[in-house]
Amino acid sequence: MAMHKSSSGSALGPGGLDLTQAFFKSVMNAAPSSPTKRHTKISVIGAGNVGMAIAQTILTQDLTDELVLVDAIPDKLRGEMLDLQHAAAFLPRTRIQASTDYSVTAGSDLCIVTAGARQIHGESRLNLLQRNVTLFQKIIPPLVRYSPDTILLIVSNPVDVLTYVAWKLSGFPSNRVIGSGTNLDSSRFRFLIADHLDVNAQDVQAFIVGEHGDSSVALWSSISVGGVPVLSFLEKQEITYEKEMLESIHKEVTESAYEVISLKGYTSWAIGYSVANLARSILRDQRRVHPVSVLAKGFYDIDGEVFLSLPAQLGRGGILGVTNVHFTEEEKHRLMNSATTILQVQNQLTI
């Protein structure tokens, strides 16, 4: 079912007559638009709370010329499309389309996948994951068929395993398959550290790496505030700190999503901003470093084909490289444990 109505249609005259020519007269000796002009297209797969928060943030931040929504529920999808289109007077000009047919995604620069199966009461995590794999088998191949040069950005949980699944199903080079990973966890981490020190979170450099989940790793050794490495500064000033205090901050990060879900039923706004932040870095070739889920084989002695979050440079080519961050032995050991945790789940899947 296609819903290709956009907020920029000009066929308003009798019988659908295009009124553009009546409203605007071309200047003399005009040439056609430059063939080098860049038209950016983003497709969001899944029009649930997370998908729509991402779409809304992308629109308000003027990140694309064309935004496409795809979902399996046509009525909700059309309602979401119309609701966004009706805000056209308050937003930068963006063509908004929606369809249950993946052909509408053709020529996308970035495909953001948020769709996922809901957990049934009493269902095991593995069974839920296998149902998500089945769902991805219906989503990823048509995205690849209609946009063979796109970058896949996976947001659906468990994000690390499903990014691996998307990579396998797509046949894409690993630099063009990215998971949202711990980009949001790291934002929560920076907020908590900034809150403790009463500074702006933008002045805090701090990463959570590994699994987007309970086995994530806080890189305390590389935290800096305003360019000052925090732990080495405390040691030089002979200021004592409790390791338990550091662990409690990390625990607060891993539990914060659960708290939001228990209070409002789901998370949406923070992940919306997080994914829009990644989209900006990719499509505008910002070459910024983000902790995102990447193929980690060959980094920090990781052997298996596993996706987990590492600080990576993002640009128009997707993953441009992984930052060579110094890990302490304890941090490296925890990262290996995180990789093992993901691999144990991954190895039980049928793809």
Side-chain angles (χ1 to χ4, degrees):
M1 176 182 172
M3 308 169 205
H4 293 197
K5 179 186 172 186
S6 88
S7 54
S8 57
S10 58
L12 299 174
L17 178 68
D18 190 335
L19 296 181
T20 306
Q21 299 303 317
F23 267 87
F24 301 102
K25 186 177 179 181
S26 297
V27 296
M28 288 182 64
N29 303 321
S33 298
S34 166
T36 60
K37 184 182 175 185
R38 185 79 208 164
H39 176 89
T40 306
K41 181 174 180 177
I42 298 176
S43 291
V44 177
I45 316 305
N49 295 317
V50 170
M52 293 315 300
I54 292 168
Q56 189 265 348
T57 312
I58 284 170
L59 283 174
T60 56
Q61 294 189 6
D62 195 14
L63 297 181
T64 188
D65 300 298
E66 187 173 353
L67 178 68
V68 170
L69 306 174
V70 177
D71 198 274
I73 305 172
D75 286 351
K76 182 179 190 306
L77 184 61
R78 180 168 174 77
E80 295 289 9
M81 177 191 74
L82 291 172
D83 208 6
L84 289 178
Q85 287 180 344
H86 295 165
F90 316 116
L91 292 169
R93 185 177 185 272
T94 304
R95 184 177 183 182
I96 302 167
Q97 298 191 83
S99 181
T100 56
D101 185 337
Y102 282 85
S103 62
V104 77
T105 66
S108 294
D109 298 282
L110 180 66
C111 291
I112 302 170
V113 182
T114 73
R118 288 182 181 273
Q119 191 161 14
I120 301 165
H121 181 68
E123 183 180 31
S124 70
R125 188 182 177 204
L126 182 61
N127 194 66
L128 172 65
L129 183 52
Q130 190 62 59
R131 286 202 297 123
N132 273 316
V133 170
T134 303
L135 183 63
F136 267 47
Q137 288 168 339
K138 297 173 183 174
I139 292 172
I140 303 300
L143 290 179
V144 171
R145 184 165 69 253
Y146 288 112
S147 302
D149 299 317
T150 195
I151 292 169
L152 294 174
L153 178 53
I154 310 303
V155 183
S156 313
N157 278 317
V159 68
D160 301 296
V161 178
L162 288 178
T163 304
Y164 166 80
V165 170
W167 175 57
K168 284 295 186 185
L169 291 172
S170 68
F172 278 1
S174 58
N175 62 298
R176 289 204 281 128
V177 185
I178 306 165
S180 56
T182 58
N183 194 53
L184 177 53
D185 308 62
S186 297
S187 173
R188 289 167 174 149
F189 193 35
R190 291 168 67 188
F191 161 72
L192 291 170
I193 293 166
D195 203 40
H196 274 268
L197 299 176
D198 195 22
V199 297
N200 191 312
Q202 292 186 358
D203 290 325
V204 178
Q205 278 284 323
F207 291 124
I208 299 282
V209 297
E211 180 197 17
H212 171 58
D214 297 339
S215 72
S216 64
V217 183
L219 296 185
W220 287 104
S221 63
S222 60
I223 290 175
S224 67
V225 176
V228 179
V230 172
L231 295 193
S232 59
F233 172 78
L234 294 177
E235 286 165 8
K236 282 177 185 174
Q237 298 295 315
E238 297 183 356
I239 299 170
T240 57
Y241 60 90
E242 296 291 330
K243 193 172 182 182
E244 289 74 20
M245 185 269 288
L246 304 185
E247 292 294 341
S248 72
I249 293 176
H250 180 213
K251 187 180 179 186
E252 200 173 338
V253 171
T254 58
E255 292 180 351
S256 58
Y258 300 124
E259 183 183 8
V260 174
I261 291 167
S262 71
L263 292 169
K264 63 176 269 191
Y266 56 89
T267 62
S268 57
W269 298 120
I271 188 65
Y273 280 103
S274 174
V275 173
N277 181 243
L278 298 176
R280 178 185 294 275
S281 288
I282 293 166
L283 295 177
R284 300 220 172 140
D285 201 29
Q286 294 292 292
R287 295 176 175 261
R288 289 189 61 195
V289 175
H290 297 268
V292 288
S293 197
V294 301
L295 181 61
K297 187 175 182 178
F299 295 105
Y300 305 104
D301 302 325
I302 294 170
D303 267 346
E305 287 187 340
V306 60
F307 277 72
L308 51 72
S309 285
L310 293 171
Q313 188 186 45
L314 300 184
R316 212 64 182 72
I319 303 288
L320 305 181
V322 172
T323 312
N324 191 14
V325 179
H326 172 73
F327 284 34
T328 64
E329 284 305 312
E330 183 182 359
E331 288 167 349
K332 192 183 285 187
H333 176 70
R334 289 190 177 194
L335 185 70
M336 290 295 291
N337 287 342
S338 195
T340 302
T341 298
I342 298 167
L343 276 168
Q344 284 172 346
V345 176
Q346 205 168 275
N347 291 338
Q348 298 176 67
L349 296 176
T350 305
I351 302 175

